[in-house]
Amino acid sequence: MNRSLISELLEDATSKRILPAVGTGIVAAAPFIILQVSLAAMIYSGSLSALSARAAGLALCGGCLICICAALTSSFQGTVSGAQDAPAAVLSTVAVTIAATLGEQAPMEAKFMTVAAVLTLSAVLTGAVFIIIGKFHLANLLRFMPYPVLGGFLAGTGWVLVAGGVSVMCGVPVSPETFGRLVTPETVIRWLPGVAFGVALFAITRRHSHFLILPGSLAAVAALFYVLLPMTGMSLDGARAAGFLVSGVPIGRLFPPFAIGEIALIDWSVVWQQLPGMFSVALVTVVGMLLNMSGVELAAGEELDMNREFVSGGVGNCLAGVGGCFPGYPVISLTFLGVKTGARSRYTGLVVALIAAGVLVFGGRALGYFPTALLGGMLVLVGSSLIHEWLLTSRKGLPWPDYLVVVVIFLVIAARGYLEGVAVGLVATVIFFVVRFSRVPVVEIEFSALDRRSSRARSVPHRKVLSATGERVRGYALSGYIFFGSATTLVESLKGALRSEPHPDFILLDFARVSGLDVSAVKHFHRLALNASAARTTIVVTALPDHFVEALKRGLSDGVMNTLVFFTDLDRGLEWCEDQLIQRTLSNREHRASMREALFHQSVDDVMAHLEQQERFEQLLDGLAPWLEKQEHPAGSSILAKGETPAGLRLLTWGTASEIDPDTGSRVRSLSPGSVIAATAAFASYTATTTVRADSNCRTALLSPDARVLLELENPSLAIALHGFLVRSGCG
């Protein structure tokens, strides 16, 4: 025990939390013990039923160890853990298989020990899986339960608790088939007082939260029961026989459940045959653990350290395996009892484990004096709280579809069971999710070549061509995850664009911000490619990962594939579309002459402005010549590399170059005579963030920081002219 745990226990022992914790632990002990014994009886049923008493000893021993471990190490202080029904259900079929494999001739003790060995290995295997999940912080990856599903699960748990409380008090299961038996006068008198006690306590605790309410009400009702019992003329044995006192707990000593020498009776060959079943137990237990702890989080209103919970549960299950018990995890109903009563203390689980250990060693005779009305009433209290919280209060904060999921799960759990309810809820949630997510637009930006151009430098006539024909390129920047729902909406929209006027020659799809595509989405793009081929429209795809490109190519004919063009980034795709528009426009014989004349008249002003700008640049170069250092760069060479500290700013005086992002390979801008490279380097220390590469043989003029200082001292007017040029170039 570390110091923080010891100080925590000491603080609880000397505070107001100790009384509710002890009271809750005493109340929770009876259903805890009955649960462990009942699950053991379920596993050792049929031909093994004669071993149920020894099986109860194993279950109680392992359950105590799990409970103690969770009480001391769980991140939620009021956790009550024990062996659970989900793994027990799987192991009951395993036990039947083992009994059948060993045959009727095998001694009963050999069957018992072989089944116990499988239970032990299942618990240890499950514990190891839990510890791996917790140690490697994998628990958060397993949080797959949607909020409405958890809400419906908790509401359904509330009904199960209320129905279980009634069943505990009258001995009749609650179902439509047993309704007639539940409303008979002799049955009503057995469950009505407990239900009234639970409902009244629920109403009181909603308005008041004093720590004495729970232990005080339990003591008062127990005293009232024993005061009224003699007035009815009924003895203790008669009350127990009538179901007013707890029964079904083994009276005799249950420990030790087997002798060390009996280990030799285990048939290990049969044990190893059950390995698939053991892995199934581990899987079922992981799911049960996630479901219950997520429910505890919601009910307690606090986030738990799920990785710590798995480590705690793993250690507890390994200890349970040593005790010969099957796996377990937090018992949600008993943990909720502490949440409702405010008994968030480690003493709750410790008291439960202590009482269960007492029954294991001394027998359960003392529990036979516990009124079932108290036990059932506490279950009704917790169940009513959950139903009220998730069927009434949650309506205010949940959209109708999500609230409908909660109600459906609640009804299915009430009618069929937990697994069916959660399965129906997951299906409903997936359907709602698909419908909602399909409505989220995957087109982040829609543009044409009029709105957005590539970074390639274009001549004035070519810019005029693009201004006249740019609407024939329709671009779509996509984002998010594209699956069958959103892909359907997107493809239908694009098919509408194919039918629109003016008719697009190119549809450009940029996938740079798309996180992924599913198989169905790829199939939808196949349909788009077929429609585009029929419309003689080229689809330009940019930034699509290679494996998706291959998936898209599979299943399409060569003719359809000719309508698809792939590029690594949007800029290169836009450049290709622009080249195609310019080439098609200028190669049209019918309009070539008239278009050239129109381009001349439209471009003359721009050409003159460009020439004037170039003339000013050349004059500036001539003036700066004494302070500049001229350099030449062969085509393909690096003028400036990313991470390099340049010697100063550079002016491109001849040739063309490209500024490139080396991480993505995309072009940032095209450079032509008059372009400025690394302007900051003439004024301060600068590290290049991109690479500038010569597309052709280039010449540059370097202005170092020292030369810039001399320029400002020797020719201030020329320095001002340089500053103005840099500002006009977008470097200011």
Side-chain angles (χ1 to χ4, degrees):
M1 253 191 246
N2 55 40
R3 291 184 178 180
S4 61
L5 178 59
I6 294 175
S7 61
E8 188 179 314
L9 291 172
L10 290 174
E11 181 183 352
D12 283 358
T14 56
S15 68
K16 295 179 180 180
R17 288 193 291 269
I18 188 66
L19 284 178
V22 172
T24 303
I26 292 172
V27 173
F32 177 85
I33 293 168
I34 293 172
L35 173 66
Q36 308 303 295
V37 172
S38 300
L39 294 178
M42 179 174 71
I43 294 176
Y44 288 85
S45 60
S47 60
L48 301 175
S49 58
L51 303 169
S52 58
R54 299 180 67 183
L58 289 178
L60 273 181
C61 181
C64 284
L65 294 172
I66 295 176
C67 192
I68 291 173
C69 183
L72 295 176
T73 62
S74 173
S75 59
F76 183 71
Q77 297 178 355
T79 301
V80 178
S81 290
Q84 285 281 18
D85 52 352
V90 178
L91 288 169
S92 63
T93 61
V94 172
V96 171
T97 302
I98 291 174
T101 302
L102 293 176
E104 296 182 359
Q105 304 301 321
M108 194 61 71
E109 290 76 10
K111 295 180 180 179
F112 172 77
M113 293 303 299
T114 303
V115 173
V118 171
L119 267 58
T120 294
L121 292 177
S122 298
V124 173
L125 175 63
T126 302
V129 171
F130 273 32
I131 292 173
I132 291 172
I133 291 174
K135 287 294 186 182
F136 289 93
H137 301 283
L138 304 176
N140 290 333
L141 300 178
L142 302 173
R143 288 177 177 263
F144 58 86
M145 286 296 174
Y147 185 82
V149 174
L150 289 175
F153 167 73
L154 293 176
T157 298
W159 167 255
V160 171
L161 291 175
V162 171
V166 172
S167 180
V168 164
M169 291 182 283
C170 66
V172 178
V174 177
S175 67
E177 293 78 12
T178 60
F179 180 76
R181 294 171 58 192
L182 289 169
V183 296
T184 58
E186 59 272 17
T187 305
V188 170
I189 194 62
R190 292 166 60 185
W191 60 260
L192 185 58
V195 170
F197 168 65
V199 172
L201 197 56
F202 165 67
I204 293 172
T205 53
R206 283 201 67 213
R207 297 178 178 273
H208 308 283
S209 59
H210 198 277
F211 71 97
L212 289 177
I213 290 177
L214 175 65
S217 60
L218 291 175
V221 172
L224 181 62
F225 174 82
Y226 281 102
V227 168
L228 295 178
L229 186 61
M231 298 181 185
T232 63
M234 188 179 295
S235 65
L236 286 176
D237 290 337
R240 190 172 293 109
F244 291 109
L245 294 173
V246 172
S247 61
V249 180
I251 296 176
R253 178 176 178 175
L254 299 173
F255 188 83
F258 61 86
I260 297 297
E262 290 182 296
I263 295 178
L265 298 174
I266 298 174
D267 190 328
W268 290 105
S269 63
V270 175
V271 170
W272 301 128
Q273 292 174 11
Q274 309 308 315
L275 274 176
M278 298 180 201
F279 282 103
S280 299
V281 169
L283 176 61
V284 167
T285 309
V286 168
V287 174
M289 174 73 171
L290 283 169
L291 201 60
N292 280 18
M293 290 312 300
S294 298
V296 170
E297 276 188 328
L298 284 180
E302 64 181 73
E303 184 177 1
L304 303 182
D305 186 345
M306 201 65 79
N307 290 303
R308 176 178 171 181
E309 292 301 321
F310 268 96
V311 173
S312 171
V315 174
N317 278 310
C318 289
L319 292 175
V322 174
C325 184
F326 45 97
Y329 43 86
V331 183
I332 194 167
S333 58
L334 303 183
T335 303
F336 281 167
L337 186 61
V339 173
K340 179 60 184 174
T341 58
R344 300 191 184 188
S345 169
R346 301 193 185 277
Y347 282 103
T348 302
L350 292 175
V351 169
V352 171
L354 181 63
I355 295 175
V359 172
L360 185 66
V361 176
F362 302 107
R365 188 180 302 274
L367 291 179
Y369 295 96
F370 196 88
T372 55
L374 290 182
L375 175 58
M378 295 305 294
L379 295 177
V380 170
L381 163 67
V382 179
S384 301
S385 300
L386 291 173
I387 292 174
H388 179 272
E389 175 70 23
W390 293 102
L391 287 187
L392 298 178
T393 306
S394 68
R395 175 62 200 97
K396 300 176 183 178
L398 288 177
W400 269 108
D402 293 327
Y403 180 71
L404 182 62
V405 171
V406 174
V407 173
V408 168
I409 295 175
F410 169 78
L411 294 175
V412 174
I413 288 177
R416 302 293 299 176
Y418 273 122
L419 292 179
E420 293 85 349
V422 173
V424 169
L426 284 174
V427 171
T429 303
V430 168
I431 293 174
F432 283 128
F433 172 79
V434 170
V435 172
R436 288 170 175 168
F437 199 61
S438 298
R439 295 175 180 173
V440 177
V442 295
V443 177
E444 187 175 273
I445 302 173
E446 185 174 346
F447 57 91
S448 71
L450 291 175
D451 313 313
R452 188 166 186 171
R453 300 277 178 84
S454 71
S455 61
R456 179 176 177 179
R458 299 284 184 186
S459 64
V460 174
H462 286 180
R463 291 202 299 269
K464 291 298 181 180
V465 170
L466 294 178
S467 297
T469 61
E471 77 279 357
R472 288 155 59 184
V473 177
R474 304 278 181 86
Y476 303 87
L478 310 179
S479 64
Y481 185 86
I482 303 178
F483 71 114
F484 61 91
S486 56
T488 301
T489 305
L490 173 63
V491 169
E492 290 302 317
S493 174
L494 295 177
K495 286 167 63 178
L498 289 173
R499 296 188 294 267
S500 66
E501 293 295 338
H503 182 74
D505 290 346
F506 306 95
I507 287 183
L508 192 154
L509 302 176
D510 180 48
F511 288 82
R513 297 190 179 182
V514 172
S515 57
L517 297 88
D518 68 1
V519 176
S520 300
V522 173
K523 295 299 181 183
H524 282 294
F525 284 115
H526 281 186
R527 291 196 300 109
L528 175 63
L530 293 172
N531 281 269
S533 176
R536 296 185 178 180
T537 295
T538 301
I539 297 180
V540 180
V541 181
T542 64
L544 188 66
D546 292 340
H547 59 284
F548 287 121
V549 172
E550 294 303 319
L552 201 58
K553 289 180 178 179
R554 287 193 294 267
L556 290 177
S557 64
D558 293 338
V560 175
M561 279 303 303
N562 290 334
T563 66
L564 291 173
V565 184
F566 299 92
F567 293 96
T568 57
D569 59 74
L570 175 60
D571 188 67
R572 297 181 190 278
L574 271 172
E575 179 187 345
W576 184 84
C577 291
E578 292 168 356
D579 290 342
Q580 297 301 308
L581 283 179
I582 294 170
Q583 180 182 352
R584 291 182 185 184
T585 302
L586 297 182
S587 63
N588 190 317
R589 293 184 178 181
E590 297 179 3
H591 302 288
R592 183 184 303 170
S594 60
M595 184 164 293
R596 284 181 176 177
E597 183 178 354
L599 285 174
F600 174 78
H601 290 295
Q602 293 173 6
S603 305
V604 64
D605 292 338
D606 290 340
V607 170
M608 293 303 297
H610 176 72
L611 291 175
E612 290 175 0
Q613 180 181 357
Q614 195 65 25
E615 183 179 0
R616 287 195 298 270
F617 175 66
E618 291 175 358
Q619 290 175 351
L620 180 65
L621 281 179
D622 290 340
L624 292 172
W627 294 274
L628 295 178
E629 177 185 344
K630 296 181 180 180
Q631 296 180 348
E632 295 192 1
H633 310 272
S637 65
S638 175
I639 299 175
L640 179 66
K642 180 180 178 179
E644 180 182 339
T645 302
L649 74 78
R650 291 182 184 275
L651 300 174
L652 184 61
T653 61
W654 180 267
T656 58
S658 295
E659 184 177 352
I660 299 169
D661 183 349
D663 295 332
T664 62
S666 60
R667 183 176 57 204
V668 178
R669 62 175 177 145
S670 293
L671 307 178
S672 57
S675 297
V676 182
I677 302 171
T680 308
F683 302 90
S685 177
Y686 172 75
T687 301
T689 58
T690 55
T691 294
V692 179
R693 186 172 58 230
D695 295 333
S696 62
N697 293 332
C698 294
R699 298 172 192 162
T700 62
L702 174 69
L703 178 67
S704 67
D706 293 338
R708 190 263 309 170
V709 172
L710 288 175
L711 170 67
E712 293 175 348
L713 292 174
E714 297 173 1
N715 195 337
S717 60
L718 186 59
I720 292 174
L722 173 63
H723 281 277
F725 174 77
L726 295 178
V727 171
R728 288 192 298 272
S729 301
C731 304

